[in-house]
Amino acid sequence: MASERITLQLPEGRELSLSSPNRIVFPEPGITKHELAEYVISVADPFLRANGHRPVSLERFPATVDGESFFSKNPPKGAPEYVDQVMCTYNSGRRHPQVVLNETAAVVWAVQMNTVVFHPWASLAADTDNPVELRIDLDPQPGTDFADAAAVAPVLREVLREAGLESWLKTSGNRGIHLFCPIEPTHEFLDVRHAVIAAGRELERRMPEKVTTNWWKEERGERIFIDFNQANRDRTMAGAYSPRALPGATVATPITWDELADGVDPAAFTVRTVPDRLAAIGDPWQDLQASPGRIDTLLEWWQRDLEAGLGELPFPPEFPKMPGEPPRVQPSRAKKD
């Protein structure tokens, strides 16, 4: 028996056939594939402003978010002509095409392909090697939570301002906070990673009891981890307005600094609530790319720290070994005497 299908009318005048529209994607709130498709249609403008025109990895769930998933990077065979692609180079030296979403229909097509989470690169399709954003992930460790990350974020904002960068906020959709600084695409990923490390180390100096850059999980303690490896090429965060594969159907949501100070609840931002939020207050990231900064000062800090004896920090285990990098193991493996 053929699966049930419906036809969606999209803003660009396209039509898209959605199969299995009544399939439950988020069991706890009962959100269906159709409802998820309607969600991405309703947030398409700010979603594409934040995530469009750049490589994106699709996290796809053939059943529910409680089940198996896989990542899809290159456009599958038979993808429609409005789903774009760009050739990307990875840390291994491999090259292959990656999906680029440039219009609403392409985002809805991704939902049709069972995508729940969208993971955009920090660089644009026009120049995949040089990021247009410096991204810092404030990652709560066991014993800490969103409130702890929220207490750290304003101090990091001041650090970044001292380096000439303005930062914009979004919830991770879970317990963390992401700071994005728009930057001119003048440096490649490794330089931007070093800039993130420099900012993290400066924050760590100011809040040593609250913040850590330790790669070893056993050494982080009950502190907020500055996840510097999220700045690597082909390392991505859930994009702005992307759903997360979590029971409550939370969404990685741009917020204002005033909202953070007022004690915002990240669990309140869901597939069902974010469209009304946008209608009420608009997109806090509307002007994010209006005045990009430069990472020159952060790179000066990086060089200063190198001269002071602080070297490279570990890369993920699957990355090529880098000059000056310390011995590499999984971050969950304890050091041994």
Side-chain angles (χ1 to χ4, degrees):
M1 180 183 295
S3 67
E4 180 186 3
R5 304 185 78 90
I6 61 173
T7 299
L8 299 175
Q9 304 294 327
L10 303 180
E12 295 94 349
R14 299 190 190 276
E15 293 184 347
L16 189 144
S17 179
L18 190 75
S19 63
S20 305
N22 296 317
R23 178 173 66 79
I24 298 294
V25 179
F26 292 91
E28 189 172 295
I31 292 173
T32 64
K33 184 177 179 180
H34 183 197
E35 189 172 354
L36 183 59
E38 293 292 351
Y39 166 76
V40 298
I41 293 171
S42 69
V43 303
D45 285 348
F47 178 95
L48 287 169
R49 194 158 48 240
N51 308 305
H53 303 281
R54 63 183 71 207
V56 62
S57 298
L58 309 177
E59 190 175 357
R60 297 163 60 184
F61 291 77
T64 73
V65 294
D66 299 330
E68 296 292 325
S69 68
F70 63 95
F71 279 86
S72 178
K73 297 181 179 182
N74 55 312
K77 190 174 182 179
E81 48 85 19
Y82 53 76
V83 176
D84 294 322
Q85 59 182 278
V86 64
M87 187 65 69
C88 295
T89 301
Y90 297 86
N91 287 286
S92 64
R94 292 184 303 112
R95 287 172 55 83
H96 70 68
Q98 186 128 5
V99 170
V100 178
L101 305 174
N102 290 331
E103 62 173 274
T104 305
V107 186
V108 181
W109 163 85
V111 172
Q112 161 61 12
M113 299 297 290
N114 301 319
T115 301
V116 173
V117 190
F118 297 80
H119 298 265
W121 280 36
S123 57
L124 299 179
D127 180 3
T128 60
D129 294 323
N130 290 1
V132 295
E133 295 154 352
L134 179 145
R135 303 171 171 182
I136 300 183
D137 180 9
L138 297 179
D139 184 10
Q141 299 302 291
T144 64
D145 57 19
F146 182 87
D148 296 292
V152 165
V155 183
L156 178 56
R157 183 189 195 188
E158 291 307 312
V159 168
L160 292 166
R161 278 182 164 173
E162 290 173 21
L165 297 174
E166 194 55 56
S167 49
W168 302 67
L169 288 169
K170 75 176 178 71
T171 67
S172 69
N174 197 359
R175 301 188 308 133
I177 295 175
H178 298 160
L179 276 72
F180 278 40
C181 297
I183 58 174
E184 296 178 6
T186 54
H187 292 80
E188 55 94 24
F189 278 91
L190 184 59
D191 288 334
V192 176
R193 178 183 183 273
H194 289 161
V196 169
I197 292 172
R201 282 173 167 162
E202 184 61 29
L203 180 63
E204 192 174 21
R205 291 185 188 101
R206 301 182 189 192
M207 307 183 77
E209 302 302 317
K210 301 291 185 181
V211 172
T212 181
T213 57
N214 279 328
W215 179 243
W216 302 91
K217 288 185 177 179
E218 293 78 7
E219 295 181 353
R220 294 176 190 170
E222 294 185 2
R223 291 179 288 183
I224 301 300
F225 173 51
I226 307 296
D227 191 352
F228 51 86
N229 273 326
Q230 287 294 81
N232 282 318
R233 181 189 298 265
D234 192 29
R235 287 287 161 146
T236 56
M237 304 173 180
Y241 300 106
S242 171
R244 297 301 306 274
L246 296 170
T250 50
V251 169
T253 306
I255 60 174
T256 67
W257 285 99
D258 286 342
E259 286 180 298
L260 186 72
D262 290 341
V264 68
D265 177 10
F269 305 134
T270 72
V271 166
R272 287 181 173 158
T273 64
V274 166
D276 288 342
R277 168 182 166 82
L278 279 168
I281 71 166
D283 177 18
W285 279 17
Q286 173 80 36
D287 298 319
L288 184 145
Q289 292 291 346
S291 299
R294 295 182 61 87
I295 63 171
D296 303 70
T297 298
L298 287 177
L299 291 179
E300 290 173 5
W301 294 1
W302 164 259
Q303 188 61 39
R304 173 201 65 191
D305 289 344
L306 284 181
E307 293 170 359
L310 296 176
E312 183 62 90
L313 293 178
F315 286 77
E318 69 272 21
F319 276 47
K321 190 75 172 176
M322 300 295 291
E325 184 186 352
R328 178 186 295 179
V329 296
Q330 291 282 4
S332 59
R333 179 180 169 186
K335 275 186 174 179
K336 295 181 180 179
D337 293 335

